[in-house]
Amino acid sequence: MNLTVVFRELWQSWRASLRRPGFVLLAGFTLALGLGLSVAMSAMVDTLVLAPPPFERPGRLVDIGDGAQMFLRARWFEALQGLPALHSVAYWTSPAETNLTVEGQRPESVVVTGVSGNYLPTLGVHLALGRNFTANELARDGPRAVILTYGFWRQHYAGQRDVLGKTLQLDGRNYTIAGVLPERWRWIAPFDLLVPANLQDSIQRNRDFSVFARLADGDSPQQAGIEVQVRLQHWLVAHGGGQDDHRVFVTRPMAEDWRMGLASIFAVLIFCTSMVLLLAAVNITNLMLQRAILRGHVHAIRNALGASLFRMALSMLAEGVLVAAIGLAMALGIAWIALAWANATLMRPEWFAFVPGITLTPGVFVLGAAIGLLVMLLASMVALWRARSRHAVRELVGGGRSGPSVAASRFSRGLVLLQAALGTMLLMVALLFARAEQAHAQAQLGIQSDRVIGTTIAPSHALYPDARAIQALVTQTLNRLHAVPGVKQAGMFITSPLGSAWTMRLQSDAPRPILVNYQMVAGEALQSLGVSLRQGRWLDAGDGTGAAPVALVNESFVRHRLHGNALGQQVTIDLHDYGLPDQIVTVVGVVADIRTYGPGYPAPPSIYVPVSQVPPQLLPLIVYRLHFEASVAGAPAGYVRAMRDAIHGAAPMLAARARPLADRVRSYFAPWRVLSEILGALAVTALLLASLGLYAVISVDTQARIREWGVRGALGASPAQLLAAVLRKGLLQTALGTGAGLALGWGVSHVMQHVLAGTVGQISTANVANAAFALVAVLVAGVVASLAPELMAARTPPATALSED
C-alpha cells in the first residue's frame, strides 16, 4: 500500500468536499440529529438506570420483601437472623417528614429515615465525617443521634468540619450529630437525615420497613430466596400467622430493584431514540446514494480509466469520515443542549434522589463516535456500490444526465418509504403519550382541585404522644382554618387523597386478606374536595367519642365488598396486628370514588371513619402525617400565608407548607408531561429527517431529469402541469411510507399501552385520531419537502433545459 497515494486521495476528497461544503454540512447535520439525541439518551440511561449503587460490591446486595411491595413487617425481621446465605441483614423505614427547629425561625420540614445499626456496614459505606450509631443510641430511650447527608451538611452548616458533636432539634428533641454521609451517596428514596430506628418500637407500632442483605460469599440470590421463604413461612405458622401464612417472599438484587421503576419508561425512550437514529442512518445512506448519482459522470470516467476499487473506496470513505467528524461535533452540541434541559427538568429531588446531574461520560462519547463512524461506513459502501455498478458505461455515454439506474432508483425509493414509515410510527407514539398527558391534565379524579388549598403537618410522637393530643391538634387547626376569611369548608385526612393510601385488612373468612384504604377524617374533609354524596348522610359533629361507631364508604367499596343496600351494614376492621380488638363500624353514607392513583387506575375501596371514633390505642400508632384541605372563595395561591399562619397558631412546633391542590395534581402527573415532551421532540426530529430525505431524492431526480422537463415544456406542458408531475411522485412515495408507518405505529402503540396504564381509554379510539393526525402531518411534510424541486422543475425554461448536455 502506497501511503502517498492514500494521503493524496484523502486530501483531494476533503478539499473537494470543503470547497463546496453544502453536502457535508447537510449530511453532518442529519447524522448529528440522530446521534446527538442518542448520545444524550445513552448518558441518561447510563446515569439513572445502568449505574450500579455506589456501595461496596453492589452485586452482592439483595432486597427482601413481601411480593411486589418489597416490605416486611417489623415483627418478622428477627426471623431472618442466622440464615447461612445472608452475611448480614439490615432495614430502613420509609422517609418521613420531621420538624426541624432553628432558633428564631419557624420550624422547617426535613425528611428523616430510620435505619438499623448495621445499615451502613451492610452497604459497605464509609462516612465522610464521623461515626456510625452506637449500641446505646440504637436502644429504646437511648441517647439520640443523627447522621447528615452531604447536601444537608453543605446547606445548613456550610461544610464545616467541626459539626460533629453539635446538636439540632427535631420535633422538640435534641439530637447529636454523629456523622456525615459521603458526597457520592445515592439512595432509592430521598432524605435529609438518618436516625436510629429501634426494632422493638417498630414492632409495637406494627410498622413495615424495607429489608436488604449482603449475600454470603458463594451464595446466590436464588439460594437466599429459598432460605428466606422457608424461614418466614415456618415463623408465621409457629406464631399463628393466619391469613399471612400464604405469603410469598421475594429476594432480588438491589440494583435490579432500583431499576424497576424506570425500566419500562426508559425502554420506551430508548426504542424511540433508536428509531430516530435508524432514521438518520437511512437518511445518510440516501444522501450518499444521491451524491453518487450526481457524481456519476466523474465515477464513470474513473472507472473507464481503470481506477482501482481501493482508490474509489478510499475517496468515498474519506468523505464519509469528514461527514462523521462534522456530525459528531454537531452531535455533541445537541447532546449538551439535551442534557442541560434534562438536568433542569428531570433531575428533581423527588424523582432522582441524590443524583446531582447527568453528565456525558467518556464511555458514552466513544460509543457515539463508534456508531457515527459505522453509519458513515455503511453509507459509503452503498455509494461505492452505486459508483462501481454496471451502468458506468451508460453514465459515460449519457454525459451524466441519464439519471439514476433502475436498481439505484428502486433502492432510493425504498429508503424514502422506510423514512416515511419510521417518521409516521414515531409521530403516532408521541401522539399517544401526548394524549395520555392531556388525559392527566384533564383528569376526572373525583375531586375539584381548582379552589382548594392544602397543607401537611407531621405531629411527632414526642409532641403528640396520645389520641387526646392528636384530636386536640386536629380540632384547634380546623377551628383556625374556619376562621380564615374566604375559607368555605375545611377538613383533615390521615393520608393525602392523591397518591397515597393507608391499607387495613377487613375481617373475613376469605383465604386471602381483603385490603381497603382506611381513611381517618375530620371536619368537612370530603366536602372540601367536592366529593359528592351518593346515599345516606355525611359524618357530623354527633359522630364523636361515645357515639355508635359509623363510617362512610365509597362506591368502589360497595361494588367489591358489600351486597344490596350499603346503608346500615356493618364492616369489621381487623386490628389484631396492632394487638387491639377489631373495630366494627356501621355504614351511614356512600360517597363518590376518588381516583387516588390517577385516571388510569381504579379507585381503591375506601372507608372513611371519624378521627374521634378511632380506637385511642390505634391513633398514635398510625398517625405520621395529617393532611388539611380547605376550599376557598378566591384563588388558592392567595391563601398560602393565611393557611400557614393558621397552622402555626395551632401547632407552633410543626412545619407547614401550604400549596394549592391544583399544583399538587400537576406535580403528581409531571412525569407524563415530561415524557410527552421528550417523545414530541423525537417525533419532530423524525419528521425533519424524513423531510430532508425526501427533499434529497426528489431534488436529485428532478435535476437528473432536467432535459425531460425541457422537452415537456417545449411540447406545451404548463408550469402547473410540471409542478403536479413532480408533486405526484413525492406524495406517492410519502403516502406509501405513511401507510406502512401507520400499520407499524398501530402495533407499537398496542405494545406500549401497558406503560400508559389505560390512561387514554380505548386504544383503538385513541389511535384512530392519532393515525389521522399523523397521516396529515407526514403528507404536509412531504409536500413541503418536495416544494423546492417542484418549483425548480416548473420554472426551468425549455431552452435552458434542452441546452443542458
Side-chain angles (χ1 to χ4, degrees), residues 662-704:
D663 289 352
R664 287 152 52 200
V665 171
R666 284 191 292 270
S667 178
Y668 185 75
F669 295 128
W672 288 109
R673 183 173 63 254
V674 173
L675 184 61
S676 179
E677 292 172 357
I678 294 175
L679 290 172
L682 293 176
V684 171
T685 303
L687 274 182
L688 178 59
L689 289 171
S691 300
L692 286 174
L694 182 61
Y695 167 79
V697 172
I698 298 298
S699 179
V700 171
D701 184 71
T702 301
Q703 186 174 348

mmCIF file of all heavy atoms in Angstrom, residues 662-704:
data_model
loop_
_atom_site.group_PDB
_atom_site.id
_atom_site.type_symbol
_atom_site.label_atom_id
_atom_site.label_comp_id
_atom_site.label_asym_id
_atom_site.label_seq_id
_atom_site.Cartn_x
_atom_site.Cartn_y
_atom_site.Cartn_z
ATOM 1 N N ALA A 662 -54.413 22.148 42.962
ATOM 2 C CA ALA A 662 -54.197 22.050 41.513
ATOM 3 C C ALA A 662 -52.712 21.919 41.192
ATOM 4 O O ALA A 662 -52.325 21.174 40.284
ATOM 5 C CB ALA A 662 -54.791 23.265 40.812
ATOM 6 N N ASP A 663 -51.860 22.619 41.946
ATOM 7 C CA ASP A 663 -50.415 22.492 41.741
ATOM 8 C C ASP A 663 -49.932 21.097 42.105
ATOM 9 O O ASP A 663 -49.056 20.534 41.448
ATOM 10 C CB ASP A 663 -49.672 23.534 42.579
ATOM 11 C CG ASP A 663 -49.858 24.947 42.064
ATOM 12 O OD1 ASP A 663 -50.436 25.095 40.967
ATOM 13 O OD2 ASP A 663 -49.438 25.896 42.757
ATOM 14 N N ARG A 664 -50.494 20.535 43.166
ATOM 15 C CA ARG A 664 -50.095 19.185 43.565
ATOM 16 C C ARG A 664 -50.527 18.159 42.529
ATOM 17 O O ARG A 664 -49.803 17.192 42.258
ATOM 18 C CB ARG A 664 -50.696 18.859 44.923
ATOM 19 C CG ARG A 664 -50.019 19.618 46.074
ATOM 20 C CD ARG A 664 -50.933 19.853 47.256
ATOM 21 N NE ARG A 664 -51.586 18.652 47.739
ATOM 22 C CZ ARG A 664 -52.684 18.660 48.492
ATOM 23 N NH1 ARG A 664 -53.243 19.810 48.832
ATOM 24 N NH2 ARG A 664 -53.215 17.543 48.904
ATOM 25 N N VAL A 665 -51.696 18.363 41.930
ATOM 26 C CA VAL A 665 -52.153 17.455 40.873
ATOM 27 C C VAL A 665 -51.202 17.517 39.681
ATOM 28 O O VAL A 665 -50.794 16.496 39.131
ATOM 29 C CB VAL A 665 -53.593 17.792 40.446
ATOM 30 C CG1 VAL A 665 -53.991 16.997 39.211
ATOM 31 C CG2 VAL A 665 -54.566 17.500 41.591
ATOM 32 N N ARG A 666 -50.840 18.745 39.272
ATOM 33 C CA ARG A 666 -49.918 18.888 38.139
ATOM 34 C C ARG A 666 -48.560 18.279 38.457
ATOM 35 O O ARG A 666 -47.938 17.648 37.604
ATOM 36 C CB ARG A 666 -49.774 20.363 37.775
ATOM 37 C CG ARG A 666 -50.957 20.939 37.020
ATOM 38 C CD ARG A 666 -50.640 22.308 36.464
ATOM 39 N NE ARG A 666 -50.489 23.299 37.517
ATOM 40 C CZ ARG A 666 -51.480 24.035 37.996
ATOM 41 N NH1 ARG A 666 -52.706 23.891 37.507
ATOM 42 N NH2 ARG A 666 -51.275 24.919 38.951
ATOM 43 N N SER A 667 -48.092 18.456 39.672
ATOM 44 C CA SER A 667 -46.807 17.889 40.055
ATOM 45 C C SER A 667 -46.853 16.373 40.075
ATOM 46 O O SER A 667 -45.896 15.705 39.671
ATOM 47 C CB SER A 667 -46.394 18.419 41.435
ATOM 48 O OG SER A 667 -45.185 17.854 41.855
ATOM 49 N N TYR A 668 -47.973 15.818 40.513
ATOM 50 C CA TYR A 668 -48.112 14.361 40.590
ATOM 51 C C TYR A 668 -48.038 13.730 39.205
ATOM 52 O O TYR A 668 -47.481 12.645 39.022
ATOM 53 C CB TYR A 668 -49.435 14.013 41.268
ATOM 54 C CG TYR A 668 -49.636 12.531 41.516
ATOM 55 C CD1 TYR A 668 -48.944 11.896 42.531
ATOM 56 C CD2 TYR A 668 -50.513 11.794 40.741
ATOM 57 C CE1 TYR A 668 -49.130 10.536 42.770
ATOM 58 C CE2 TYR A 668 -50.703 10.439 40.970
ATOM 59 C CZ TYR A 668 -50.007 9.821 41.979
ATOM 60 O OH TYR A 668 -50.187 8.476 42.207
ATOM 61 N N PHE A 669 -48.604 14.435 38.207
ATOM 62 C CA PHE A 669 -48.615 13.910 36.847
ATOM 63 C C PHE A 669 -47.494 14.497 35.987
ATOM 64 O O PHE A 669 -47.479 14.310 34.772
ATOM 65 C CB PHE A 669 -49.964 14.201 36.173
ATOM 66 C CG PHE A 669 -51.119 13.492 36.830
ATOM 67 C CD1 PHE A 669 -52.252 14.186 37.223
ATOM 68 C CD2 PHE A 669 -51.071 12.130 37.062
ATOM 69 C CE1 PHE A 669 -53.316 13.534 37.818
ATOM 70 C CE2 PHE A 669 -52.121 11.464 37.667
ATOM 71 C CZ PHE A 669 -53.251 12.170 38.045
ATOM 72 N N ALA A 670 -46.555 15.194 36.605
ATOM 73 C CA ALA A 670 -45.470 15.823 35.839
ATOM 74 C C ALA A 670 -44.646 14.820 35.044
ATOM 75 O O ALA A 670 -44.206 15.141 33.931
ATOM 76 C CB ALA A 670 -44.570 16.625 36.783
ATOM 77 N N PRO A 671 -44.373 13.596 35.541
ATOM 78 C CA PRO A 671 -43.591 12.661 34.715
ATOM 79 C C PRO A 671 -44.202 12.399 33.361
ATOM 80 O O PRO A 671 -43.486 12.264 32.365
ATOM 81 C CB PRO A 671 -43.550 11.396 35.579
ATOM 82 C CG PRO A 671 -43.690 11.894 36.984
ATOM 83 C CD PRO A 671 -44.622 13.063 36.887
ATOM 84 N N TRP A 672 -45.543 12.333 33.281
ATOM 85 C CA TRP A 672 -46.176 12.108 31.979
ATOM 86 C C TRP A 672 -45.963 13.308 31.060
ATOM 87 O O TRP A 672 -45.759 13.143 29.857
ATOM 88 C CB TRP A 672 -47.674 11.853 32.173
ATOM 89 C CG TRP A 672 -47.952 10.531 32.781
ATOM 90 C CD1 TRP A 672 -48.411 10.282 34.043
ATOM 91 C CD2 TRP A 672 -47.769 9.250 32.185
ATOM 92 N NE1 TRP A 672 -48.519 8.937 34.252
ATOM 93 C CE2 TRP A 672 -48.145 8.274 33.128
ATOM 94 C CE3 TRP A 672 -47.328 8.834 30.923
ATOM 95 C CZ2 TRP A 672 -48.085 6.914 32.861
ATOM 96 C CZ3 TRP A 672 -47.278 7.469 30.661
ATOM 97 C CH2 TRP A 672 -47.653 6.541 31.622
ATOM 98 N N ARG A 673 -46.003 14.496 31.647
ATOM 99 C CA ARG A 673 -45.804 15.687 30.819
ATOM 100 C C ARG A 673 -44.379 15.726 30.258
ATOM 101 O O ARG A 673 -44.178 16.029 29.079
ATOM 102 C CB ARG A 673 -46.082 16.942 31.656
ATOM 103 C CG ARG A 673 -45.976 18.233 30.848
ATOM 104 C CD ARG A 673 -46.423 19.446 31.648
ATOM 105 N NE ARG A 673 -45.593 19.685 32.816
ATOM 106 C CZ ARG A 673 -45.965 19.443 34.071
ATOM 107 N NH1 ARG A 673 -47.148 18.937 34.323
ATOM 108 N NH2 ARG A 673 -45.162 19.689 35.081
ATOM 109 N N VAL A 674 -43.405 15.407 31.092
ATOM 110 C CA VAL A 674 -42.019 15.409 30.629
ATOM 111 C C VAL A 674 -41.804 14.327 29.571
ATOM 112 O O VAL A 674 -41.145 14.553 28.556
ATOM 113 C CB VAL A 674 -41.066 15.202 31.824
ATOM 114 C CG1 VAL A 674 -39.631 15.026 31.336
ATOM 115 C CG2 VAL A 674 -41.157 16.376 32.787
ATOM 116 N N LEU A 675 -42.380 13.148 29.801
ATOM 117 C CA LEU A 675 -42.256 12.071 28.825
ATOM 118 C C LEU A 675 -42.893 12.464 27.501
ATOM 119 O O LEU A 675 -42.347 12.184 26.422
ATOM 120 C CB LEU A 675 -42.915 10.806 29.377
ATOM 121 C CG LEU A 675 -42.793 9.540 28.539
ATOM 122 C CD1 LEU A 675 -41.332 9.162 28.359
ATOM 123 C CD2 LEU A 675 -43.563 8.399 29.172
ATOM 124 N N SER A 676 -44.030 13.122 27.565
ATOM 125 C CA SER A 676 -44.687 13.594 26.347
ATOM 126 C C SER A 676 -43.819 14.607 25.614
ATOM 127 O O SER A 676 -43.733 14.595 24.378
ATOM 128 C CB SER A 676 -46.048 14.208 26.697
ATOM 129 O OG SER A 676 -46.694 14.701 25.542
ATOM 130 N N GLU A 677 -43.150 15.492 26.348
ATOM 131 C CA GLU A 677 -42.281 16.484 25.715
ATOM 132 C C GLU A 677 -41.088 15.820 25.026
ATOM 133 O O GLU A 677 -40.714 16.206 23.909
ATOM 134 C CB GLU A 677 -41.785 17.484 26.766
ATOM 135 C CG GLU A 677 -42.881 18.389 27.318
ATOM 136 C CD GLU A 677 -42.400 19.226 28.489
ATOM 137 O OE1 GLU A 677 -41.236 19.060 28.898
ATOM 138 O OE2 GLU A 677 -43.187 20.049 29.004
ATOM 139 N N ILE A 678 -40.504 14.811 25.675
ATOM 140 C CA ILE A 678 -39.366 14.119 25.065
ATOM 141 C C ILE A 678 -39.789 13.420 23.783
ATOM 142 O O ILE A 678 -39.131 13.536 22.733
ATOM 143 C CB ILE A 678 -38.771 13.103 26.057
ATOM 144 C CG1 ILE A 678 -38.160 13.820 27.266
ATOM 145 C CG2 ILE A 678 -37.715 12.239 25.378
ATOM 146 C CD1 ILE A 678 -37.672 12.892 28.346
ATOM 147 N N LEU A 679 -40.899 12.697 23.841
ATOM 148 C CA LEU A 679 -41.345 11.978 22.652
ATOM 149 C C LEU A 679 -41.801 12.938 21.561
ATOM 150 O O LEU A 679 -41.639 12.659 20.370
ATOM 151 C CB LEU A 679 -42.479 11.023 23.028
ATOM 152 C CG LEU A 679 -42.039 9.836 23.881
ATOM 153 C CD1 LEU A 679 -43.242 9.054 24.358
ATOM 154 C CD2 LEU A 679 -41.117 8.921 23.098
ATOM 155 N N GLY A 680 -42.357 14.074 21.954
ATOM 156 C CA GLY A 680 -42.716 15.080 20.955
ATOM 157 C C GLY A 680 -41.489 15.603 20.229
ATOM 158 O O GLY A 680 -41.507 15.781 19.001
ATOM 159 N N ALA A 681 -40.403 15.842 20.974
ATOM 160 C CA ALA A 681 -39.165 16.297 20.335
ATOM 161 C C ALA A 681 -38.619 15.239 19.389
ATOM 162 O O ALA A 681 -38.135 15.549 18.291
ATOM 163 C CB ALA A 681 -38.124 16.646 21.401
ATOM 164 N N LEU A 682 -38.699 13.966 19.790
ATOM 165 C CA LEU A 682 -38.242 12.890 18.913
ATOM 166 C C LEU A 682 -39.096 12.808 17.652
ATOM 167 O O LEU A 682 -38.573 12.563 16.549
ATOM 168 C CB LEU A 682 -38.282 11.556 19.658
ATOM 169 C CG LEU A 682 -37.299 11.389 20.822
ATOM 170 C CD1 LEU A 682 -37.525 10.058 21.525
ATOM 171 C CD2 LEU A 682 -35.869 11.489 20.342
ATOM 172 N N ALA A 683 -40.414 12.997 17.786
ATOM 173 C CA ALA A 683 -41.288 12.934 16.618
ATOM 174 C C ALA A 683 -41.009 14.085 15.652
ATOM 175 O O ALA A 683 -40.983 13.892 14.428
ATOM 176 C CB ALA A 683 -42.757 12.963 17.065
ATOM 177 N N VAL A 684 -40.791 15.288 16.183
ATOM 178 C CA VAL A 684 -40.465 16.424 15.321
ATOM 179 C C VAL A 684 -39.139 16.178 14.599
ATOM 180 O O VAL A 684 -39.001 16.468 13.392
ATOM 181 C CB VAL A 684 -40.404 17.723 16.150
ATOM 182 C CG1 VAL A 684 -39.848 18.868 15.312
ATOM 183 C CG2 VAL A 684 -41.792 18.079 16.666
ATOM 184 N N THR A 685 -38.160 15.640 15.316
ATOM 185 C CA THR A 685 -36.880 15.312 14.688
ATOM 186 C C THR A 685 -37.065 14.278 13.586
ATOM 187 O O THR A 685 -36.455 14.378 12.505
ATOM 188 C CB THR A 685 -35.896 14.771 15.745
ATOM 189 O OG1 THR A 685 -35.751 15.740 16.782
ATOM 190 C CG2 THR A 685 -34.538 14.493 15.132
ATOM 191 N N ALA A 686 -37.909 13.271 13.839
ATOM 192 C CA ALA A 686 -38.159 12.251 12.825
ATOM 193 C C ALA A 686 -38.807 12.855 11.583
ATOM 194 O O ALA A 686 -38.445 12.506 10.447
ATOM 195 C CB ALA A 686 -39.056 11.156 13.410
ATOM 196 N N LEU A 687 -39.765 13.758 11.768
ATOM 197 C CA LEU A 687 -40.394 14.416 10.615
ATOM 198 C C LEU A 687 -39.380 15.232 9.828
ATOM 199 O O LEU A 687 -39.388 15.236 8.590
ATOM 200 C CB LEU A 687 -41.537 15.323 11.092
ATOM 201 C CG LEU A 687 -42.899 14.670 11.290
ATOM 202 C CD1 LEU A 687 -43.916 15.722 11.720
ATOM 203 C CD2 LEU A 687 -43.373 14.001 10.015
ATOM 204 N N LEU A 688 -38.507 15.923 10.543
ATOM 205 C CA LEU A 688 -37.484 16.725 9.870
ATOM 206 C C LEU A 688 -36.547 15.839 9.056
ATOM 207 O O LEU A 688 -36.220 16.158 7.901
ATOM 208 C CB LEU A 688 -36.701 17.529 10.904
ATOM 209 C CG LEU A 688 -35.546 18.399 10.374
ATOM 210 C CD1 LEU A 688 -36.059 19.407 9.360
ATOM 211 C CD2 LEU A 688 -34.834 19.106 11.523
ATOM 212 N N LEU A 689 -36.126 14.722 9.649
ATOM 213 C CA LEU A 689 -35.236 13.814 8.933
ATOM 214 C C LEU A 689 -35.923 13.206 7.717
ATOM 215 O O LEU A 689 -35.320 13.092 6.632
ATOM 216 C CB LEU A 689 -34.762 12.707 9.872
ATOM 217 C CG LEU A 689 -33.766 13.124 10.957
ATOM 218 C CD1 LEU A 689 -33.545 11.994 11.953
ATOM 219 C CD2 LEU A 689 -32.442 13.536 10.337
ATOM 220 N N ALA A 690 -37.171 12.790 7.872
ATOM 221 C CA ALA A 690 -37.894 12.226 6.737
ATOM 222 C C ALA A 690 -38.060 13.261 5.632
ATOM 223 O O ALA A 690 -37.955 12.947 4.437
ATOM 224 C CB ALA A 690 -39.254 11.705 7.190
ATOM 225 N N SER A 691 -38.319 14.504 5.998
ATOM 226 C CA SER A 691 -38.469 15.568 5.004
ATOM 227 C C SER A 691 -37.154 15.827 4.270
ATOM 228 O O SER A 691 -37.139 16.027 3.050
ATOM 229 C CB SER A 691 -38.954 16.851 5.691
ATOM 230 O OG SER A 691 -40.191 16.647 6.330
ATOM 231 N N LEU A 692 -36.039 15.816 5.018
ATOM 232 C CA LEU A 692 -34.737 16.004 4.375
ATOM 233 C C LEU A 692 -34.445 14.888 3.381
ATOM 234 O O LEU A 692 -33.926 15.129 2.280
ATOM 235 C CB LEU A 692 -33.635 16.055 5.441
ATOM 236 C CG LEU A 692 -33.538 17.325 6.279
ATOM 237 C CD1 LEU A 692 -32.490 17.157 7.379
ATOM 238 C CD2 LEU A 692 -33.186 18.526 5.413
ATOM 239 N N GLY A 693 -34.778 13.662 3.754
ATOM 240 C CA GLY A 693 -34.549 12.547 2.846
ATOM 241 C C GLY A 693 -35.374 12.647 1.586
ATOM 242 O O GLY A 693 -34.878 12.418 0.476
ATOM 243 N N LEU A 694 -36.631 12.976 1.728
ATOM 244 C CA LEU A 694 -37.490 13.126 0.556
ATOM 245 C C LEU A 694 -37.031 14.279 -0.321
ATOM 246 O O LEU A 694 -37.019 14.177 -1.561
ATOM 247 C CB LEU A 694 -38.938 13.348 1.007
ATOM 248 C CG LEU A 694 -39.975 13.472 -0.116
ATOM 249 C CD1 LEU A 694 -40.019 12.206 -0.947
ATOM 250 C CD2 LEU A 694 -41.352 13.772 0.460
ATOM 251 N N TYR A 695 -36.626 15.382 0.309
ATOM 252 C CA TYR A 695 -36.119 16.517 -0.464
ATOM 253 C C TYR A 695 -34.901 16.122 -1.284
ATOM 254 O O TYR A 695 -34.789 16.469 -2.467
ATOM 255 C CB TYR A 695 -35.760 17.666 0.481
ATOM 256 C CG TYR A 695 -34.940 18.748 -0.189
ATOM 257 C CD1 TYR A 695 -35.545 19.699 -0.999
ATOM 258 C CD2 TYR A 695 -33.562 18.790 -0.012
ATOM 259 C CE1 TYR A 695 -34.790 20.677 -1.635
ATOM 260 C CE2 TYR A 695 -32.800 19.772 -0.635
ATOM 261 C CZ TYR A 695 -33.414 20.711 -1.440
ATOM 262 O OH TYR A 695 -32.668 21.666 -2.070
ATOM 263 N N ALA A 696 -33.976 15.377 -0.676
ATOM 264 C CA ALA A 696 -32.762 14.992 -1.395
ATOM 265 C C ALA A 696 -33.085 14.128 -2.603
ATOM 266 O O ALA A 696 -32.548 14.330 -3.705
ATOM 267 C CB ALA A 696 -31.814 14.252 -0.452
ATOM 268 N N VAL A 697 -33.984 13.154 -2.421
ATOM 269 C CA VAL A 697 -34.315 12.248 -3.523
ATOM 270 C C VAL A 697 -35.027 12.992 -4.643
ATOM 271 O O VAL A 697 -34.680 12.862 -5.831
ATOM 272 C CB VAL A 697 -35.173 11.084 -3.004
ATOM 273 C CG1 VAL A 697 -35.691 10.246 -4.165
ATOM 274 C CG2 VAL A 697 -34.370 10.228 -2.057
ATOM 275 N N ILE A 698 -36.039 13.775 -4.288
ATOM 276 C CA ILE A 698 -36.798 14.498 -5.322
ATOM 277 C C ILE A 698 -35.900 15.515 -6.024
ATOM 278 O O ILE A 698 -35.969 15.701 -7.248
ATOM 279 C CB ILE A 698 -38.014 15.200 -4.689
ATOM 280 C CG1 ILE A 698 -38.949 14.162 -4.068
ATOM 281 C CG2 ILE A 698 -38.766 16.009 -5.726
ATOM 282 C CD1 ILE A 698 -39.534 13.181 -5.039
ATOM 283 N N SER A 699 -35.027 16.162 -5.264
ATOM 284 C CA SER A 699 -34.154 17.180 -5.853
ATOM 285 C C SER A 699 -33.191 16.560 -6.861
ATOM 286 O O SER A 699 -33.014 17.063 -7.974
ATOM 287 C CB SER A 699 -33.366 17.891 -4.744
ATOM 288 O OG SER A 699 -32.501 18.862 -5.288
ATOM 289 N N VAL A 700 -32.549 15.457 -6.501
ATOM 290 C CA VAL A 700 -31.609 14.807 -7.412
ATOM 291 C C VAL A 700 -32.338 14.253 -8.629
ATOM 292 O O VAL A 700 -31.870 14.371 -9.767
ATOM 293 C CB VAL A 700 -30.843 13.693 -6.670
ATOM 294 C CG1 VAL A 700 -30.022 12.843 -7.642
ATOM 295 C CG2 VAL A 700 -29.941 14.299 -5.619
ATOM 296 N N ASP A 701 -33.490 13.641 -8.390
ATOM 297 C CA ASP A 701 -34.247 13.092 -9.506
ATOM 298 C C ASP A 701 -34.688 14.195 -10.469
ATOM 299 O O ASP A 701 -34.643 14.032 -11.692
ATOM 300 C CB ASP A 701 -35.473 12.336 -8.974
ATOM 301 C CG ASP A 701 -36.252 11.648 -10.073
ATOM 302 O OD1 ASP A 701 -35.751 10.648 -10.622
ATOM 303 O OD2 ASP A 701 -37.357 12.132 -10.394
ATOM 304 N N THR A 702 -35.110 15.326 -9.903
ATOM 305 C CA THR A 702 -35.533 16.444 -10.746
ATOM 306 C C THR A 702 -34.363 16.997 -11.551
ATOM 307 O O THR A 702 -34.479 17.284 -12.752
ATOM 308 C CB THR A 702 -36.142 17.552 -9.876
ATOM 309 O OG1 THR A 702 -37.261 17.014 -9.148
ATOM 310 C CG2 THR A 702 -36.626 18.715 -10.728
ATOM 311 N N GLN A 703 -33.211 17.133 -10.899
ATOM 312 C CA GLN A 703 -32.038 17.654 -11.594
ATOM 313 C C GLN A 703 -31.564 16.699 -12.679
ATOM 314 O O GLN A 703 -31.140 17.119 -13.767
ATOM 315 C CB GLN A 703 -30.925 17.930 -10.596
ATOM 316 C CG GLN A 703 -29.706 18.614 -11.195
ATOM 317 C CD GLN A 703 -28.690 19.005 -10.140
ATOM 318 O OE1 GLN A 703 -28.991 18.960 -8.960
ATOM 319 N NE2 GLN A 703 -27.503 19.390 -10.584
ATOM 320 N N ALA A 704 -31.619 15.390 -12.397
ATOM 321 C CA ALA A 704 -31.182 14.415 -13.402
ATOM 322 C C ALA A 704 -32.127 14.375 -14.599
ATOM 323 O O ALA A 704 -31.717 14.016 -15.707
ATOM 324 C CB ALA A 704 -31.081 13.035 -12.757
#
